[in-house]
């Protein structure tokens, strides 16, 4: 639906601030969940149950000295974290949070999301090259090679969803999943192989374990952000967590019904007054956030369950396993749509 430009700007401002606050909450969640998995308390000093620890970390980074290595390209060194944050903050504009509640309803929204997430690798590569450090350069090169290995599989997983829905609009893809009623219309049930492929490649997209090779602290100190300090490092930190949050949104939107409430048709039949009301919109936002929270936890669970893959293992998985499976899945979904639609 059309919205007043002022209201649209207000919603955009709210979404950006929501992402910033959510990044802090994700930092806290990661430290707490990691601590529980490792049987230790985690942060418990700053604020109730240590909840204000991420905000204390931000204040610490603000007052840290900003150092630039000798021989580094100062302009590109400063540009790289900005590129990462801007791209991370742009993608949420294309996510529908409830029926009729989306900042940009583009007919090619899926393509824009894929394009933006692909461009984010430039921030990593520029940071690695501009730092004049072998560790940073290796991290940037790893990120480039990693992107080539998994982007094709990710694109094909999304293509299978586009074939099923018959549209590139993110909103229409969500609404298409309501056709089957209840939850069986979600793409996860109609296209489970595509969902699994996308989830796996999302880990590589966000540089999360077991695909965190561009950072790989045990090998590359910190990878592409080794030579960063102060708020420049904080911006990389922010971009990583926002990307993680956005990846959870995209997974939930494309494969798990997005803002659709489980058994929504039955709910509407039982409570017809909810149709078109503010309460229904709030329930839809809550449904989406619950799905996002689950996938956010999944990222943490996998991090402390699986060891980091070796570089050659990532290449083999990307080219010899994920890509062939993704190609077969796209052909299979095209045949199913051609025969039964």
């Amino acid at each position: 639906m059309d919205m007043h430009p002022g209201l649209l700007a207000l919603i955009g401002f709210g979404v950006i601030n929501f992402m910033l606050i959510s990044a802090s909450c994700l930092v806290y969640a990661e430290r707490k969940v990691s601590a529980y998995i490792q049987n230790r308390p985690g942060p418990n000093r700053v604020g109730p149950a240590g909840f204000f620890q991420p905000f204390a970390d931000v204040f610490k980074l603000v007052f840290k000295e900003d150092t630039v290595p000798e021989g580094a390209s100062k302009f590109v060194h400063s540009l790289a974290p900005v590129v990462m944050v801007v791209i991370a903050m742009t993608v949420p504009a294309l996510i529908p949070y409830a029926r009729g509640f989306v900042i940009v309803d583009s007919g090619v929204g899926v393509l824009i999301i894929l394009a933006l997430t692909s461009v984010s690798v430039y921030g990593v590569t520029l940071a690695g090259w501009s730092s004049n450090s072998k560790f940073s350069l290796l991290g940037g090169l790893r990120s480039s090679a990693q992107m080539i290995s998994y982007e094709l599989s990710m694109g094909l997983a999304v293509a299978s969803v586009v074939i099923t829905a018959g549209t590139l609009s993110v909103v229409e893809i969500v609404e298409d999943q309501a056709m089957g009623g209840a939850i069986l219309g979600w793409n996860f049930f109609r296209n489970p192989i595509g969902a699994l492929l996308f989830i796996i490649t999302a880990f590589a997209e966000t540089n999360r374990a077991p695909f965190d090779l561009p950072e790989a602290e045990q090998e590359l100190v910190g990878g592409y952000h080794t030579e960063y300090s102060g708020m420049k490092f904080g911006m990389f930190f922010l971009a990583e967590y926002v990307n993680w949050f956005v990846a959870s949104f995209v997974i939930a939107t494309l494969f798990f019904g997005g803002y659709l409430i489980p058994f929504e048709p039955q709910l509407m039949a039982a409570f017809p007054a909810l149709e078109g009301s503010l309460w229904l919109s709030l329930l839809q936002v809550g449904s989406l956030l619950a799905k996002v929270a689950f996938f956010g936890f999944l990222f943490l669970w996998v991090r402390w369950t699986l060891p980091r893959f070796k570089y050659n293992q990532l290449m083999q998985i990307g080219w010899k396993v994920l890509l062939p499976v993704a190609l077969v899945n796209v052909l299979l979904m095209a045949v199913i749509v051609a025969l039964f639609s």
Side-chain angles (χ1 to χ4, degrees):
M1 67 180 181
D2 294 330
M3 286 189 283
H4 189 274
L7 177 61
L8 201 61
L10 183 63
I11 292 173
F13 179 77
V15 169
I16 289 176
N17 282 277
F18 172 70
M19 289 295 163
L20 291 172
I21 295 172
S22 299
S24 298
C25 293
L26 284 175
V27 172
Y28 177 76
E30 175 156 43
R31 297 175 73 170
K32 273 296 187 182
V33 172
S34 302
Y36 291 142
I37 292 175
Q38 297 172 349
N39 196 25
R40 56 185 176 84
N44 59 359
R45 291 291 185 271
V46 185
F51 184 75
F52 294 144
Q53 184 64 54
F55 301 97
D57 293 338
V58 171
F59 283 115
K60 178 189 71 175
L61 289 172
V62 168
F63 293 104
K64 284 282 187 179
E65 181 182 2
D66 177 26
T67 59
V68 179
E70 186 177 353
S73 175
K74 293 185 179 181
F75 174 73
V76 180
H77 190 267
S78 300
L79 177 66
V82 176
V83 170
M84 294 285 288
V85 171
V86 169
I87 293 173
M89 289 295 185
T90 303
V91 177
L94 296 152
I95 303 295
Y97 300 96
R99 189 170 284 115
F101 183 66
V102 58
I103 298 174
V104 179
D105 183 9
S106 172
V108 290
V110 171
L111 285 181
I112 298 174
I113 290 175
L114 285 177
L116 288 171
T117 54
S118 299
V119 169
S120 65
V121 75
Y122 285 101
V124 177
T125 306
L126 289 173
W129 171 81
S130 65
S131 295
N132 193 32
S133 165
K134 58 184 178 183
F135 299 115
S136 300
L137 181 59
L138 283 171
L141 291 175
R142 282 187 176 190
S143 181
S144 301
Q146 183 169 305
M147 180 197 71
I148 296 170
S149 300
Y150 68 75
E151 279 283 354
L152 290 172
S153 303
M154 174 177 277
L156 289 170
V158 175
S160 65
V161 173
V162 172
I163 290 171
T164 304
T167 178
L168 288 167
S169 168
V170 181
V171 174
E172 292 177 11
I173 287 174
V174 173
E175 289 298 329
D176 178 71
Q177 297 176 72
M179 298 300 180
I183 63 174
L184 295 180
W186 295 358
N187 284 325
F188 174 74
F189 297 100
R190 298 191 292 177
N191 184 9
I193 297 175
L196 182 61
L197 286 169
F198 190 87
I199 291 171
I200 292 172
T201 53
F203 280 87
E205 178 77 43
T206 53
N207 293 328
R208 298 286 303 182
F211 302 118
D212 56 340
L213 291 166
E215 299 176 20
E217 290 88 351
Q218 293 86 345
E219 307 163 29
L220 304 180
V221 186
Y224 61 92
H225 57 62
T226 299
E227 302 296 341
Y228 281 87
S229 61
M231 276 310 295
K232 288 180 183 175
F233 172 78
M235 292 173 74
F236 275 118
F237 206 63
L238 170 65
E240 178 181 340
Y241 281 87
V242 172
N243 281 328
W244 167 20
F245 198 49
V246 169
S248 300
F249 269 106
V250 176
I251 294 170
T253 299
L254 295 183
F255 294 98
F256 290 85
Y259 54 75
L260 297 178
I261 304 168
F263 306 104
E264 187 169 323
Q266 292 82 349
L267 181 67
M268 291 296 99
F271 302 98
L274 282 176
E275 186 68 37
S277 68
L278 175 62
W279 291 109
L280 178 61
S281 297
L282 292 175
L283 285 173
Q284 289 176 339
V285 172
S287 173
L288 177 60
L289 291 178
K291 297 169 188 176
V292 170
F294 170 78
F295 288 108
F297 173 75
L298 181 65
F299 275 83
L300 296 177
W301 190 3
V302 170
R303 174 180 178 180
W304 297 109
T305 304
L306 299 178
R308 180 186 299 123
F309 285 100
K310 293 191 295 185
Y311 189 68
N312 62 311
Q313 290 174 330
L314 174 63
M315 299 293 109
Q316 289 175 353
I317 291 172
W319 291 105
K320 294 184 179 181
V321 179
L322 296 180
L323 183 58
V325 172
L327 284 168
V328 171
N329 183 60
V330 167
L331 292 174
L332 179 63
M333 296 307 299
V335 170
I336 291 173
V337 170
L339 292 178
F340 298 102
S341 63

